[in-house]
Amino acid sequence: MDKLLIRGGRRLHGEVPISGAKNAALPEMCAALLTPEPVRLVNVPRLQDVATMRRLLDHMGVRTETHGARGGMGFHAAGPITPEAPYELVKTMRASVLALGPLLARFGEATVSLPGGCAIGSRPVDQHIKGLQAMGAHIVVEHGYILAKLQPGRRRLHGARITTDMVTVTGTENLLMAATLAEGETVLENAAQEPEVTDLAEMLIAMGAQIDGHGTSRIRIRGVEALHGCTHHVVPDRIEAGTFLCAVAATGGEALLRHGRADHLDAVIDKLRDAGAWVEAAADGIRIQSAGGAQLKAQSFRTTEYPGFPTDMQAQFMALNCIAQGTATVAETIFENRFMHVNELQRLGARIQTDGKVAVVEGAQRLSGATVMATDLRASASLVIAGLVAEGETLVDRIYHLDRGYDSMETKLRGLGADIERLK
C-alpha cells in the first residue's frame, strides 16, 4: 500500500495545473449511456474513480478508448448494452449510482448495486428513487441492489415536477439525465447548483437536450426522443484548486493555479482573504500569495450547499486553521462523520476539540511530523497540507483515498518546491 513521505518546512512557489473535475467527469461518463453515438470528453483527470467508472462502462458493453495526452476519452454505447452495475465494480465508488438514470431512460431497466465510497456518513439514494418513481419507474431495493424498470405498458419515462427533500448533487444529476429522454417536461425543484451540475447540463445540451435553469435551484427539462454524440471539455476541479490554495496559504509563498476558476470558489477565497492571504482571479487561473500560517488568522466557517462553503474543503481549511493565529469554530452540516481527520491532525500536534458536528480549532505554534493514516479522500488532503508545514517528517498512510480524487498530487507539489515522495 502506497504512502507519502513529506519533509515539511518548505514554502511553495511556481505554477500548478488544475485538472478536470472528478465530480463532473464521472456523471458525464455516465451520460454517454444516453446515446448510441460516440461521445468524447476532454480534460478527464487521471484518477482511480475514473478508472473504476471506465471499467464499469466496459462491463456494460460501452466501447471506451483514450484520446491523446490532454485527458481525452471516447465512449460509444451503440450496444448491445448490459444495464447493470455489479457490486464488485462499484463497491468503492458512490458515483456508480449515476448509471441508474441514464440506463433506465434509454433502455427501460437497470440493476445497480447500492454504492460505496468514503466512510464519511450516510448518503442515501432515496431521493434518486423517489424522483424516478415520480417519472414512472417501478423500483425495488433488495439484496443490496436497486432494481428499476418502466411501469408496464410504458415505452419511456414521463415528465414530472420533483421536489427533493434535501439538496443532493448526485440526485439532481441522475434525475437530470433521466429527464432528457422522458416524455414531456420535468421540473427539478430544490436542485443542486454546483458547477459540476451546470457542466453536466451544458454537455447534455450539446447532445441535443432541452434544459434551462441549470445553476439555479429550479431546472426545467423538456424531454426529447433521442440524444446525439458530442465533444465536451470537463470543467476544472474547484476542490483541487481549493486544496492547493490552502496548501500555499499554509506554507507561505506564491503560486499560479493554471486553469483554476476563482468564480467557482468564492466562499473559500473569501475566507482565505480574511485569513490574510492575497488571492486574485487571473486570465490564466488563480494567483495566491501568502506569508504563511503563523501570519494568518484562523477563520470560522460552516459548510453548506453551493454557493456556500463546500464540505469537500472543510478538512483542508481546518488544517490551515491548525497553524494560524487565534481560535476558529468549524461547523459541518452536510455529513455526520466528516471529522475523522481530527484524530490524525492531533497526532501532528493540532489542538482541536469536537462536539458532534462542531470542531473548535486553537491555532498551534507549530506542528511536528508523525505517521498518520488517511481515513477518506479530503481527510488525506488535509494531512498532506499539515505535513507540508510540520517540522520533520510526516508519513501519510492509506493514500489510495487521495488517488481517488487528486491527479498526481505529489508530482504537482514537487513542482511547487515541496519535499514529498511516494513510497511503494
Side-chain angles (χ1 to χ4, degrees):
M1 192 177 296
D2 288 6
K3 302 176 175 65
L4 285 182
L5 177 62
I6 307 167
R7 300 174 184 88
R10 293 195 178 190
R11 295 165 69 86
L12 301 181
H13 294 273
E15 295 185 7
V16 59
I18 300 303
S19 302
K22 177 191 84 149
N23 290 338
L26 295 177
E28 287 163 3
M29 292 170 74
C30 288
L33 291 164
L34 290 165
T35 177
E37 297 185 12
V39 169
R40 184 170 184 258
L41 296 178
V42 182
N43 199 35
V44 179
R46 295 172 296 177
L47 304 172
Q48 188 59 48
D49 277 7
V50 169
T52 300
M53 183 65 80
R54 183 174 181 177
R55 288 196 300 272
L56 174 60
L57 293 173
D58 286 336
H59 168 82
M60 292 180 184
V62 180
R63 296 204 304 273
T64 67
E65 56 187 355
T66 302
H67 292 293
R70 295 185 57 231
M73 294 185 72
F75 307 90
H76 196 185
I81 299 298
T82 303
E84 67 172 13
Y87 173 75
E88 291 73 20
L89 283 173
V90 305
K91 60 185 177 182
T92 63
M93 184 182 65
R94 175 171 172 74
S96 58
V97 75
L98 289 165
L100 178 62
L103 288 174
L104 188 57
R106 183 174 163 212
F107 302 102
E109 62 177 321
T111 300
V112 178
S113 171
L114 290 171
C118 286
I120 58 175
S122 174
R123 296 188 281 183
V125 296
D126 57 326
Q127 300 304 303
H128 306 237
I129 294 172
K130 170 186 170 182
L132 292 171
Q133 286 173 330
M135 297 169 69
H138 174 72
I139 300 177
V140 296
V141 179
E142 59 184 21
H143 306 301
Y145 279 83
I146 303 169
L147 309 177
K149 288 186 177 182
L150 294 181
Q151 291 178 351
R154 297 210 60 89
R155 188 177 62 90
R156 296 163 61 189
L157 294 170
H158 60 74
R161 180 176 293 272
I162 302 167
T163 303
T164 54
D165 297 337
M166 71 217 35
V167 177
T168 162
V169 174
T170 54
T172 299
E173 292 167 339
N174 233 338
L175 299 176
L176 173 62
M177 288 188 283
T180 60
L181 294 180
E183 291 180 318
E185 182 176 88
T186 298
V187 179
L188 303 181
E189 303 279 7
N190 202 27
Q193 303 175 49
E194 274 75 358
E196 297 80 15
V197 176
T198 300
D199 197 54
L200 171 63
E202 292 295 336
M203 174 186 173
L204 293 169
I205 291 170
M207 295 171 68
Q210 297 182 18
I211 303 170
D212 59 62
H214 46 295
T216 75
S217 61
R218 176 182 293 155
I219 305 176
R220 192 179 303 271
I221 310 104
R222 289 168 294 281
V224 298
E225 283 278 352
L227 296 178
H228 53 72
C230 75
T231 296
H232 178 74
H233 193 283
V234 179
V235 69
D237 193 325
R238 63 193 171 98
I239 304 302
E240 183 189 36
T243 300
F244 278 99
L245 287 175
C246 285
V248 176
T251 64
E254 58 181 299
L256 167 65
L257 279 57
R258 193 170 295 281
H259 312 307
R261 291 278 299 268
D263 58 323
H264 291 171
L265 282 165
D266 286 339
V268 174
I269 289 174
D270 284 348
K271 287 296 180 183
L272 287 169
R273 288 170 175 163
D274 291 345
W278 178 87
V279 187
E280 291 293 337
D284 48 358
I286 308 172
R287 294 184 181 274
I288 179 171
Q289 293 180 350
S290 173
Q295 306 302 314
L296 300 178
K297 297 179 181 178
Q299 298 297 309
S300 297
F301 62 90
R302 175 179 181 270
T303 66
T304 187
E305 294 85 4
Y306 189 86
F309 196 98
T311 181
D312 278 352
M313 283 300 305
Q314 177 254 109
Q316 300 92 308
F317 211 100
M318 185 183 289
L320 175 63
N321 276 339
C322 287
I323 46 88
Q325 297 180 35
T327 300
T329 300
V330 176
E332 173 58 58
T333 71
I334 306 298
F335 296 123
E336 65 269 26
N337 294 336
R338 208 157 201 183
F339 283 154
M340 291 189 293
H341 49 281
V342 168
N343 288 340
E344 301 305 303
L345 288 172
Q346 289 171 336
R347 286 180 51 77
L348 297 170
R351 296 182 291 201
I352 308 170
Q353 297 293 324
T354 60
D355 183 7
K357 293 187 176 184
V358 177
V360 178
V361 185
E362 182 183 353
Q365 293 298 315
R366 65 184 182 88
L367 300 179
S368 58
T371 298
V372 292
M373 181 177 66
T375 54
D376 62 69
L377 171 53
R378 305 307 172 185
S380 308
S382 75
L383 298 177
V384 171
I385 293 171
L388 290 171
V389 297
E391 296 178 358
E393 294 186 347
T394 297
L395 187 66
V396 184
D397 200 356
R398 294 178 64 180
I399 61 166
Y400 60 83
H401 289 293
L402 195 76
D403 293 337
R404 289 185 49 235
Y406 291 93
D407 185 347
S408 308
M409 175 180 263
E410 74 277 10
T411 302
K412 292 181 178 182
L413 284 170
R414 275 200 302 272
L416 292 173
D419 188 346
I420 180 172
E421 62 179 309
R422 179 178 292 253
L423 304 180
K424 295 290 185 180

